[in-house]
Amino acid sequence: TLFAALAVAAVATAAPDPLPRARPEQVGMSAQRLANLTPVLKSYVDSQQVAGSVALVARRGKLVYFEAFGQADREARVPMQTDSIFRIASQSKAIVTTAAMMLVEQGKLGLNDPVAKYIPEFAKATVAVPKDGGGYYTAQLKRPITVRDLMTHTSGLSYGTGPAADLWQKAGITGYYFSDRDEPIGATVARMASLPLDAQPGEKWIYGYSIDVLGAVAERASGLPLDELVRTSILAPLGMNDTAFYLPPEKRGRLTAVYARNGNAPIVRAPNEGAAGQGAYVDGPRKSFSGGAGLLSTAGDYARFLEMMLGGGELDGKRLLSRKTVELMTQDHLHGIPFQPGQGFGLGFSVVKDVGARGEPGSVGEFGWGGAYHSTYWVDPVEKLVVVYLTQLNPAGDVDDFARLRALVYQAIVD
């Protein structure tokens, strides 16, 4: 019958599981307790706080929870699927940092190398120093920006929002959204070098263009465009077939729509343009590979990347990094520079140092981050746990789903 044929076709096109499945009890979790996640995550869709989401939980390398909720596109009535494609924004940072660490392992890049060795324009970088009563003056750098400064967000680079914001705006470099740029990332980064930093290198943790600059450094060090470097070194070996800087046209229907939420108001569809909009991932110039915020991915693909990190640099017999490199990446490198309570920052990830000071369930040594479109992930090496949660919400208003997700994942551990 037609129905049977359609059912077979649906099965045939269902995405393969990103990791082997197990019953939760086989890996020390309770199926009954894990099931508590479902009504809670569904409630955020029902109350119009998110349009849709995908949640994935794996323990000891086995998939125990993988569910999609709500809609990928409300207006077009496209249901969310577990293999829906999301803008992962700053979750790109960990992947690009990993690609750079692979170059460190090959001797093509050094953590203490000055950035100016690869992008000479940075040799003349300056810092904007605020003046009493308003305005600023520019000062020379006390020391060069290093590759390590980029990876730890201590380079002094913001998203062009500091004292010299006027100059950054004039240069047309603001926001993290590069998918519509008609110039290669190397050209954008070379122009950044002439604009004043917000702080001296190594003195403050400032979130900004550091990993976009790192991507341009990695291009120079490897001799490859960033998309090719990331694809050949990480995405292809790990089978992350749905992760890319721009969407292949045939996957257009799988890209989730972006929604916006202000305060506690119901969500509305985000505009097509602008820093938080739908983006030019399909019909744009496809030239700017933003290491800091440019990748698209799925929950399953990203979980494979995280399982590689949890596995000390190896997954399914493919080794990307040495165990010692992963150890280095997941230590705090801030040396007392203020950051978030109970946390430090490593090479590409935030790192938990004190569970009580952070005030949420987790473990010392847990590492993770998230993205501007309201996505989050973490790896807990003590519990051998990987969690990925993707939505497309920017701004996210006062939605509290991250805290609920975390509480419900940890209450399901019963061993």
Side-chain angles (χ1 to χ4, degrees), residues 159-232:
Y159 276 120
T161 53
D166 57 329
L167 293 181
W168 286 82
Q169 275 163 0
K170 210 153 114 188
I173 304 175
T174 57
Y176 47 81
Y177 167 81
F178 282 19
S179 66
D180 60 344
R181 286 187 176 270
D182 204 3
E183 67 178 351
I185 193 67
T188 311
V189 163
R191 291 197 294 118
M192 275 180 199
S194 68
L195 301 166
L197 305 172
D198 286 17
Q200 288 285 351
E203 291 188 2
K204 272 188 181 170
W205 191 91
I206 298 176
Y207 203 48
Y209 292 119
S210 288
I211 310 300
D212 290 294
V213 175
L214 181 67
V217 167
E219 287 191 335
R220 297 275 172 96
S222 66
L224 294 171
L226 188 61
D227 65 331
E228 201 176 320
L229 174 67
V230 167
R231 186 175 52 78
T232 54

Side-chain angles (χ1 to χ4, degrees), residues 94-372:
I95 291 176
V96 169
T97 302
T98 298
M101 289 306 292
M102 293 172 77
L103 296 175
V104 171
E105 288 195 340
Q106 294 159 23
K108 293 177 179 176
L109 190 62
L111 289 177
N112 299 321
D113 286 353
V115 170
K117 178 178 172 182
Y118 305 92
I119 301 163
E121 290 85 349
F122 273 98
K124 295 177 185 161
T126 60
V127 176
V129 183
K131 288 199 286 205
D132 292 340
Y136 61 89
Y137 65 92
T138 56
Q140 291 185 306
L141 298 194
K142 295 178 192 172
R143 67 159 176 82
I145 304 171
T146 65
V147 169
R148 187 194 311 269
D149 293 329
L150 296 177
M151 293 184 180
T152 55
H153 297 284
T154 57
S155 67
L157 280 160
S158 73
Y159 276 120
T161 53
D166 57 329
L167 293 181
W168 286 82
Q169 275 163 0
K170 210 153 114 188
I173 304 175
T174 57
Y176 47 81
Y177 167 81
F178 282 19
S179 66
D180 60 344
R181 286 187 176 270
D182 204 3
E183 67 178 351
I185 193 67
T188 311
V189 163
R191 291 197 294 118
M192 275 180 199
S194 68
L195 301 166
L197 305 172
D198 286 17
Q200 288 285 351
E203 291 188 2
K204 272 188 181 170
W205 191 91
I206 298 176
Y207 203 48
Y209 292 119
S210 288
I211 310 300
D212 290 294
V213 175
L214 181 67
V217 167
E219 287 191 335
R220 297 275 172 96
S222 66
L224 294 171
L226 188 61
D227 65 331
E228 201 176 320
L229 174 67
V230 167
R231 186 175 52 78
T232 54
S233 59
I234 297 172
L235 307 180
L238 293 181
M240 295 170 66
N241 303 325
D242 285 326
T243 305
F245 283 100
Y246 292 96
L247 197 67
E250 68 276 10
K251 294 183 183 178
R252 180 191 290 258
R254 288 171 55 198
L255 183 64
T256 45
V258 182
Y259 294 86
R261 184 168 188 261
N262 291 298
N264 58 6
I267 54 170
V268 294
R269 195 182 183 90
N272 284 338
E273 299 75 35
Q278 307 297 335
Y281 294 101
V282 186
D283 301 317
R286 295 176 175 257
K287 278 190 190 169
S288 184
F289 307 126
S290 161
L295 285 169
L296 306 166
S297 191
T298 63
D301 272 14
Y302 210 82
R304 288 188 61 77
F305 167 68
L306 297 177
E307 282 290 346
M308 178 275 294
M309 294 297 297
L310 178 60
E314 185 181 18
L315 181 68
D316 295 344
K318 303 258 173 70
R319 179 164 291 284
L320 272 61
L321 293 167
S322 127
R323 172 172 61 82
K324 298 305 290 183
T325 299
V326 173
E327 279 175 23
L328 181 67
M329 291 172 73
T330 54
Q331 303 294 318
D332 177 31
H333 288 247
L334 291 184
H335 311 298
I337 293 170
F339 183 51
Q340 293 166 8
Q343 298 183 70
F345 209 89
L347 307 178
F349 304 94
S350 61
V351 184
V352 175
K353 297 162 68 178
D354 181 328
V355 174
R358 188 181 61 171
E360 293 186 307
S363 303
V364 171
E366 176 198 316
F367 57 94
W369 201 237

Side-chain angles (χ1 to χ4, degrees), residues 1 13 17 54 73 78 87 89 123 154 164 167 172 182 201 245 274 276 300 304 331 355 361 378 412:
T1 65
T13 57
D17 283 337
V54 175
D73 186 327
V78 178
R87 300 153 192 77
T154 57
L167 293 181
D182 204 3
F245 283 100
R304 288 188 61 77
Q331 303 294 318
V355 174
W378 74 90

